[in-house]
Amino acid sequence: QVQLVESGGGLVQAGGSLRLSCAASGRTFSANAVGWFRQAPGKARELVAAMSRDSGIIYYADSVKGRFAISRDNAKNTAYLQMSNLKPEDTAAYYCAADLAVLTVRNGRARSWGQGTQVTVSS
């Protein structure tokens, strides 16, 4: 397992952009798939995006396709979520997750999770 710490959340106006970062500890980050999830108050946690260890497989929720982009820099042990054209409905706590298999991450069953970072989009 790796330890994950998210950062980059904040308050932004609709139409704006934010980039979230997920810093991983340990030397096994490159062997892990990573993903981003979000949870709004009163709603279930949902997948935002997931990426395989070699960046060759990427999944996006339909609601963020064309607006969000997941990426990773294995040399820096960091994953990113670039969010553009943000909407009020994107308001949520965003969590980073990691595990060996991208399907495990995509299905929300990752063994490693960060503590979350809040994103608030005002209209």
Coordinates of all heavy atoms in Angstrom, one line a residue, residues 32-78:
N32 N 1.3 1.1 -9.1 CA -0.1 1.2 -8.8 C -0.9 2.0 -9.8 O -0.4 3.0 -10.4 CB -0.2 2.0 -7.4 CG 0.0 1.1 -6.2 OD1 -0.9 0.6 -5.6 ND2 1.3 0.9 -5.9
A33 N -2.1 1.5 -10.0 CA -3.1 2.3 -10.7 C -3.6 3.4 -9.8 O -3.5 3.2 -8.5 CB -4.2 1.4 -11.2
V34 N -4.1 4.5 -10.3 CA -4.6 5.6 -9.4 C -5.9 6.0 -9.9 O -6.3 5.8 -11.1 CB -3.6 6.8 -9.4 CG1 -2.3 6.4 -8.8 CG2 -3.4 7.3 -10.8
G35 N -6.7 6.6 -9.0 CA -8.0 7.1 -9.4 C -8.4 8.3 -8.5 O -7.8 8.5 -7.5
W36 N -9.4 9.0 -9.1 CA -10.0 10.1 -8.3 C -11.5 9.8 -8.2 O -12.1 9.4 -9.1 CB -9.8 11.4 -9.1 CG -8.4 11.9 -9.0 CD1 -7.4 11.7 -10.0 CD2 -7.8 12.7 -8.0 NE1 -6.3 12.4 -9.6 CE2 -6.5 13.0 -8.4 CE3 -8.3 13.3 -6.8 CZ2 -5.6 13.8 -7.6 CZ3 -7.4 14.0 -6.0 CH2 -6.1 14.3 -6.5
F37 N -12.0 10.0 -7.0 CA -13.4 9.9 -6.6 C -13.9 11.2 -6.0 O -13.1 12.0 -5.5 CB -13.6 8.7 -5.6 CG -13.3 7.4 -6.2 CD1 -12.0 6.9 -6.5 CD2 -14.4 6.5 -6.6 CE1 -11.8 5.7 -7.1 CE2 -14.2 5.3 -7.2 CZ -12.9 4.9 -7.4
R38 N -15.2 11.3 -5.9 CA -15.7 12.5 -5.2 C -17.0 12.1 -4.5 O -17.7 11.1 -4.9 CB -16.0 13.6 -6.2 CG -17.1 13.4 -7.2 CD -17.1 14.5 -8.2 NE -18.2 14.3 -9.2 CZ -18.3 15.1 -10.3 NH1 -17.5 16.1 -10.5 NH2 -19.3 14.9 -11.1
Q39 N -17.3 12.8 -3.5 CA -18.5 12.6 -2.7 C -19.1 13.9 -2.3 O -18.4 14.7 -1.6 CB -18.2 11.7 -1.5 CG -19.5 11.3 -0.8 CD -19.2 10.2 0.2 OE1 -18.1 10.0 0.7 NE2 -20.3 9.5 0.6
A40 N -20.3 14.2 -2.7 CA -21.0 15.4 -2.3 C -21.9 15.0 -1.1 O -22.2 13.9 -0.9 CB -21.9 15.9 -3.5
P41 N -22.2 16.0 -0.3 CA -23.0 15.8 0.8 C -24.3 15.1 0.5 O -25.0 15.5 -0.4 CB -23.3 17.2 1.4 CG -22.2 18.0 0.9 CD -21.8 17.4 -0.4
G42 N -24.6 14.0 1.2 CA -25.9 13.3 1.0 C -25.9 12.4 -0.2 O -26.9 11.7 -0.6
K43 N -24.7 12.3 -0.9 CA -24.6 11.4 -2.1 C -23.6 10.4 -1.9 O -22.7 10.5 -1.1 CB -24.3 12.3 -3.3 CG -25.4 13.3 -3.7 CD -25.1 14.0 -5.0 CE -26.3 14.9 -5.4 NZ -26.0 15.5 -6.7
A44 N -23.7 9.3 -2.7 CA -22.7 8.3 -2.7 C -21.4 8.7 -3.4 O -21.4 9.6 -4.2 CB -23.2 7.0 -3.4
R45 N -20.3 8.1 -2.9 CA -19.0 8.3 -3.6 C -19.1 7.8 -5.0 O -19.6 6.8 -5.3 CB -17.9 7.6 -2.8 CG -16.5 7.9 -3.3 CD -15.5 7.1 -2.5 NE -15.7 5.7 -2.6 CZ -15.2 4.8 -1.8 NH1 -14.4 5.1 -0.8 NH2 -15.4 3.5 -2.0
E46 N -18.5 8.6 -5.9 CA -18.5 8.2 -7.3 C -17.1 8.3 -8.0 O -16.4 9.2 -7.6 CB -19.5 9.0 -8.1 CG -19.2 10.5 -8.2 CD -20.2 11.3 -9.1 OE1 -21.1 10.6 -9.7 OE2 -20.1 12.5 -9.2
L47 N -16.9 7.5 -8.9 CA -15.6 7.6 -9.7 C -15.6 8.8 -10.5 O -16.6 9.2 -11.2 CB -15.5 6.3 -10.6 CG -14.3 6.4 -11.6 CD1 -13.0 6.2 -10.9 CD2 -14.5 5.3 -12.7
V48 N -14.5 9.5 -10.6 CA -14.3 10.6 -11.5 C -13.4 10.2 -12.6 O -13.7 10.3 -13.8 CB -13.6 11.8 -10.7 CG1 -13.3 12.9 -11.7 CG2 -14.5 12.3 -9.6
A49 N -12.3 9.6 -12.3 CA -11.3 9.1 -13.3 C -10.4 8.1 -12.7 O -10.1 8.1 -11.5 CB -10.5 10.3 -13.9
A50 N -9.9 7.2 -13.5 CA -8.9 6.2 -13.1 C -7.9 6.0 -14.2 O -8.2 6.1 -15.4 CB -9.6 4.9 -12.7
M51 N -6.7 5.6 -13.8 CA -5.6 5.5 -14.8 C -4.7 4.3 -14.4 O -4.4 4.2 -13.2 CB -4.7 6.7 -14.9 CG -3.5 6.6 -15.7 SD -2.6 8.2 -15.7 CE -3.4 9.0 -17.1
S52 N -4.4 3.5 -15.3 CA -3.5 2.3 -15.1 C -2.1 2.7 -14.7 O -1.7 3.9 -14.9 CB -3.5 1.4 -16.2 OG -3.0 2.0 -17.4
R53 N -1.3 1.8 -14.3 CA 0.1 2.1 -13.8 C 0.9 2.7 -15.0 O 1.8 3.5 -14.8 CB 0.7 0.9 -13.2 CG 1.0 -0.2 -14.2 CD 1.6 -1.4 -13.6 NE 0.5 -2.2 -12.8 CZ 0.7 -3.3 -12.2 NH1 1.9 -3.9 -12.2 NH2 -0.2 -3.9 -11.6
D54 N 0.7 2.2 -16.2 CA 1.5 2.7 -17.3 C 0.7 3.8 -18.1 O 1.2 4.2 -19.2 CB 1.8 1.6 -18.3 CG 0.5 0.9 -18.9 OD1 -0.6 1.4 -18.6 OD2 0.7 0.0 -19.7
S55 N -0.3 4.3 -17.6 CA -1.1 5.4 -18.2 C -1.8 4.9 -19.5 O -2.4 5.8 -20.2 CB -0.3 6.6 -18.5 OG 0.4 7.1 -17.4
G56 N -1.8 3.6 -19.8 CA -2.4 3.2 -21.0 C -3.9 3.0 -21.0 O -4.5 2.9 -22.0
I57 N -4.4 2.9 -19.8 CA -5.9 2.7 -19.7 C -6.4 3.8 -18.8 O -5.9 4.0 -17.7 CB -6.2 1.3 -19.0 CG1 -5.7 0.2 -19.9 CG2 -7.7 1.2 -18.8 CD1 -5.8 -1.2 -19.2
I58 N -7.4 4.5 -19.3 CA -8.0 5.6 -18.6 C -9.5 5.5 -18.6 O -10.1 5.2 -19.7 CB -7.6 7.0 -19.2 CG1 -6.0 7.1 -19.0 CG2 -8.3 8.1 -18.4 CD1 -5.5 8.4 -19.7
Y59 N -10.1 5.7 -17.5 CA -11.6 5.8 -17.4 C -12.0 7.1 -16.9 O -11.4 7.7 -16.0 CB -12.1 4.7 -16.4 CG -11.8 3.3 -16.8 CD1 -10.7 2.6 -16.2 CD2 -12.6 2.6 -17.7 CE1 -10.5 1.3 -16.5 CE2 -12.3 1.3 -18.0 CZ -11.2 0.6 -17.4 OH -10.9 -0.7 -17.7
Y60 N -13.1 7.6 -17.4 CA -13.7 8.9 -16.9 C -15.2 8.7 -16.7 O -15.9 7.9 -17.5 CB -13.6 10.0 -18.0 CG -12.2 10.5 -18.1 CD1 -11.4 10.2 -19.2 CD2 -11.6 11.3 -17.1 CE1 -10.1 10.8 -19.3 CE2 -10.3 11.9 -17.2 CZ -9.6 11.5 -18.3 OH -8.3 12.0 -18.4
A61 N -15.7 9.3 -15.7 CA -17.2 9.4 -15.6 C -17.7 10.2 -16.7 O -17.1 11.2 -17.2 CB -17.5 10.0 -14.2
D62 N -18.9 9.8 -17.2 CA -19.5 10.6 -18.3 C -19.7 12.1 -18.0 O -19.5 12.9 -18.9 CB -20.9 10.0 -18.7 CG -20.7 8.6 -19.3 OD1 -19.7 8.3 -19.8 OD2 -21.8 7.9 -19.4
S63 N -19.9 12.3 -16.7 CA -20.2 13.7 -16.3 C -19.0 14.6 -16.4 O -19.1 15.9 -16.4 CB -20.8 13.8 -14.9 OG -19.8 13.2 -14.0
V64 N -17.8 14.0 -16.5 CA -16.6 14.9 -16.5 C -15.8 14.7 -17.9 O -14.8 15.4 -18.0 CB -15.6 14.6 -15.4 CG1 -16.4 14.7 -14.0 CG2 -15.0 13.2 -15.5
K65 N -16.2 13.9 -18.7 CA -15.5 13.7 -20.0 C -15.4 15.0 -20.8 O -16.4 15.7 -20.9 CB -16.2 12.6 -20.9 CG -16.0 11.2 -20.4 CD -16.7 10.2 -21.3 CE -16.4 8.8 -20.8 NZ -17.2 7.8 -21.6
G66 N -14.2 15.3 -21.3 CA -14.0 16.5 -22.0 C -13.7 17.7 -21.1 O -13.3 18.8 -21.6
R67 N -13.9 17.6 -19.8 CA -13.6 18.7 -18.9 C -12.5 18.4 -17.9 O -11.7 19.3 -17.6 CB -14.9 19.0 -18.1 CG -16.1 19.5 -18.9 CD -17.2 20.0 -18.1 NE -17.7 19.0 -17.1 CZ -17.7 19.2 -15.8 NH1 -17.2 20.3 -15.3 NH2 -18.2 18.2 -15.0
F68 N -12.4 17.1 -17.5 CA -11.3 16.7 -16.6 C -10.3 15.9 -17.3 O -10.6 15.1 -18.2 CB -12.0 15.9 -15.4 CG -12.8 16.7 -14.5 CD1 -13.2 18.0 -14.8 CD2 -13.3 16.2 -13.3 CE1 -14.0 18.7 -13.9 CE2 -14.1 16.8 -12.4 CZ -14.5 18.1 -12.7
A69 N -9.1 15.9 -16.7 CA -8.0 15.0 -17.3 C -7.2 14.5 -16.1 O -6.7 15.3 -15.3 CB -7.1 15.8 -18.2
I70 N -7.0 13.2 -16.1 CA -6.2 12.6 -15.1 C -4.8 12.3 -15.7 O -4.6 12.1 -16.9 CB -6.8 11.2 -14.6 CG1 -6.0 10.6 -13.5 CG2 -6.9 10.2 -15.8 CD1 -6.6 9.4 -12.8
S71 N -3.8 12.5 -14.9 CA -2.4 12.3 -15.3 C -1.6 11.8 -14.1 O -2.0 11.9 -13.0 CB -1.8 13.5 -16.0 OG -1.7 14.6 -15.1
R72 N -0.4 11.4 -14.4 CA 0.5 11.0 -13.4 C 2.0 11.2 -13.8 O 2.3 11.2 -14.9 CB 0.4 9.5 -13.0 CG 0.7 8.5 -14.1 CD 0.3 7.1 -13.8 NE 1.0 6.6 -12.6 CZ 0.5 5.6 -11.9 NH1 -0.6 5.0 -12.2 NH2 1.2 5.2 -10.8
D73 N 2.8 11.5 -12.8 CA 4.2 11.7 -12.9 C 4.9 10.7 -12.0 O 5.0 11.0 -10.8 CB 4.6 13.1 -12.7 CG 6.1 13.3 -13.0 OD1 6.9 12.4 -13.0 OD2 6.5 14.5 -13.2
N74 N 5.3 9.5 -12.5 CA 5.8 8.5 -11.6 C 7.2 8.9 -11.0 O 7.5 8.5 -9.9 CB 6.0 7.2 -12.3 CG 4.7 6.5 -12.6 OD1 3.7 6.8 -11.9 ND2 4.6 5.7 -13.6
A75 N 7.9 9.8 -11.7 CA 9.2 10.3 -11.1 C 8.9 11.1 -9.9 O 9.8 11.2 -9.0 CB 9.9 11.1 -12.2
K76 N 7.8 11.8 -9.8 CA 7.4 12.6 -8.7 C 6.5 11.9 -7.7 O 6.0 12.6 -6.8 CB 6.8 13.9 -9.2 CG 7.8 14.8 -10.0 CD 7.1 16.1 -10.4 CE 8.1 17.0 -11.1 NZ 7.5 18.3 -11.6
N77 N 6.1 10.7 -8.0 CA 5.2 10.0 -7.1 C 3.9 10.8 -7.0 O 3.3 10.8 -5.9 CB 5.8 9.7 -5.8 CG 6.7 8.5 -5.8 OD1 6.9 7.9 -6.8 ND2 7.4 8.2 -4.7
T78 N 3.4 11.3 -8.0 CA 2.2 12.2 -7.9 C 1.3 12.0 -9.1 O 1.7 11.7 -10.2 CB 2.7 13.7 -8.0 OG1 3.6 13.9 -6.9 CG2 1.5 14.6 -7.8

